[in-house]
Amino acid sequence: KGRGKNRYARYDRELERHANKEARLAADLRLALGRGEFCLVYQPVVALPHGRPVGGEALVRWRHPDRGLVPPSEFIGVAERTGVIVALGSWVLREACRAASGWLASPAAASGPWRLSVNISARQLREPTFAAEVAAVLAETGLPPERLVAEVTETAVFDNEPAVAALTTLRGLGVSIALDDFGTGHSSLGLLRTIPATVLKVDKSFVDNIAGAEEEVIATAMLQLANGLRMDAVAEGVETSAQADRLHQLGYRQAQGFYFYRPVGAADMGALLAGTAAIAATSPGAASTQ
Ligand code: C2E
Ligand code: MG
Ligand code: MG
Ligand code: MG
């Protein structure tokens, strides 16, 4: 009994330490936001098989004064659990729309049909003011709604009525909706009827082993699903030419991954969309900055 008690005491102490750590990190994130320590990088989405950029995805980074460039895996979860994601997500949305609006200043970029994706958390979608905020940011930055894609996960919208309502409002504005990491979340195919999604992003885990018989069957079924529902399918996390070739053979027309491009800065992304970038002229796999 005594040992059990000790064990619980230790468990409690660990929980408390964890909670303190999260609270500290959440406070740091708020400070960092105020100090302008976040920045966005953009990963091109390309058309297969040639790899020409047809869009981009905004990805947040934290330029920590001591720790350097901190990836989202180290802070998005905490930001979501503590609610900081609402303020951080607002900043990301405004910054991404501002950048995309800037790209449109180049006539070459403005003539292309590209779209920019922004990742949106469940917590943001639950804010009653979310759809109005998006409309306001679009108006303020001058970005046409047709240029914006809201990326959400199945899990974020599963059993989340306010989220579905917000997405329906966004779709009404002309904003596209992408289902991110498709096939890995709390998926229910019925969700595809209730969410006005226009893009299906097939998760990297299916692309990783695309040479495997089962993954190929799943990737093919997902593509058929997207085609049948008149959605675009984007294969995520393409790292090799073999994967790109196989996806193209299966009928995929859009992809994203380090084989084509790693995330780049806003200026490079704009230049890529304008088709004038030096890095666009290099062979796939050669381009990288971060
Ligand atoms: P995601 O939305 O699925 O974004 C794709 C992630 O996969 C990015 O990681 C990207 O750099 C990475 N990736 C792309 N191609 C490849 C590849 O070929 N190989 C490998 N190994 N990785 C590849 P990143 O930037 O670290 O973002 C991770 C996740 O963090 C994102 O996954 C998204 O869920 C979340 N995230 C990033 N930025 C934001 C944001 O602004 N808001 C919210 N709510 N979440 C964000
Ligand atoms: Mg995404
Ligand atoms: Mg994704
Ligand atoms: Mg993913």
Side-chain angles (χ1 to χ4, degrees):
K1 198 172 182 185
R3 256 183 58 206
K5 222 177 186 174
N6 277 340
R7 206 178 296 157
Y8 279 124
R10 193 168 68 211
Y11 182 67
D12 281 349
R13 270 200 310 277
E14 259 160 40
L15 265 185
E16 199 182 303
R17 227 185 341 258
H18 182 71
N20 286 339
K21 206 178 144 201
E22 287 229 341
R24 256 195 322 271
L25 181 51
D28 282 351
L29 288 170
R30 285 197 195 280
L31 284 175
L33 196 54
R35 293 183 184 133
E37 288 176 6
F38 290 99
C39 64
L40 295 182
V41 291
Y42 300 86
Q43 185 176 38
V45 176
V46 305
L48 294 173
H50 43 71
R52 231 187 329 267
V54 292
E57 176 175 6
L59 298 163
V60 71
R61 300 287 182 265
W62 180 8
R63 276 189 203 285
H64 194 282
D66 312 319
R67 295 166 60 196
L69 215 56
V70 183
S73 57
E74 292 186 28
F75 61 85
I76 288 290
V78 178
E80 286 175 338
R81 288 191 291 277
T82 57
V84 178
I85 194 70
V86 173
L88 177 58
S90 288
W91 179 83
V92 167
L93 177 70
R94 184 168 276 103
E95 179 65 16
C97 290
R98 211 177 50 75
S101 181
W103 301 334
L104 287 172
S106 144
S111 65
W114 56 266
R115 290 184 168 86
L116 178 67
S117 288
V118 177
N119 291 288
I120 309 290
S121 291
R123 187 70 178 62
Q124 292 174 268
L125 290 172
R126 278 209 195 85
E127 291 288 297
T129 52
F130 182 71
E133 182 192 339
V134 174
V137 168
L138 290 170
E140 179 192 314
T141 58
L143 185 72
E146 292 72 24
R147 296 282 185 183
L148 182 65
V149 184
E151 279 198 15
V152 300
T153 62
E154 301 152 275
T155 309
V157 280
F158 185 80
D159 221 10
N160 185 348
E161 196 50 55
V164 176
L167 293 176
T168 305
T169 306
L170 288 191
R171 191 67 202 106
L173 293 175
V175 173
S176 299
I177 314 294
L179 278 176
D180 205 356
D181 304 338
F182 193 74
T184 61
H186 279 268
S187 20
S188 133
L189 292 179
L191 210 63
L192 293 171
R193 280 183 321 194
T194 51
I195 295 168
T198 48
V199 182
L200 210 155
K201 298 191 78 170
V202 173
D203 191 67
K204 180 175 186 301
S205 54
F206 302 103
V207 173
D208 282 343
N209 304 306
I210 195 71
E214 278 154 11
E215 284 78 4
E216 185 177 306
V217 168
I218 294 172
T220 303
M222 286 185 183
L223 181 65
Q224 278 171 359
L225 194 60
N227 287 342
L229 296 172
R230 287 194 212 87
M231 296 167 72
D232 289 326
V234 179
E236 287 192 294
V238 178
E239 294 182 339
T240 68
S241 62
Q243 290 169 344
D245 289 347
R246 193 74 197 112
L247 287 162
H248 178 240
Q249 281 164 9
L250 295 178
Y252 278 83
R253 289 155 71 176
Q254 285 184 44
Q256 188 178 345
F258 293 174
Y259 170 65
F260 296 104
Y261 295 99
R262 285 183 182 257
V264 299
D268 282 345
M269 187 69 236
L272 278 172
L273 294 173
T276 56
I279 47 176
T282 63
S283 60
S288 77
T289 49
Q290 8 207 339

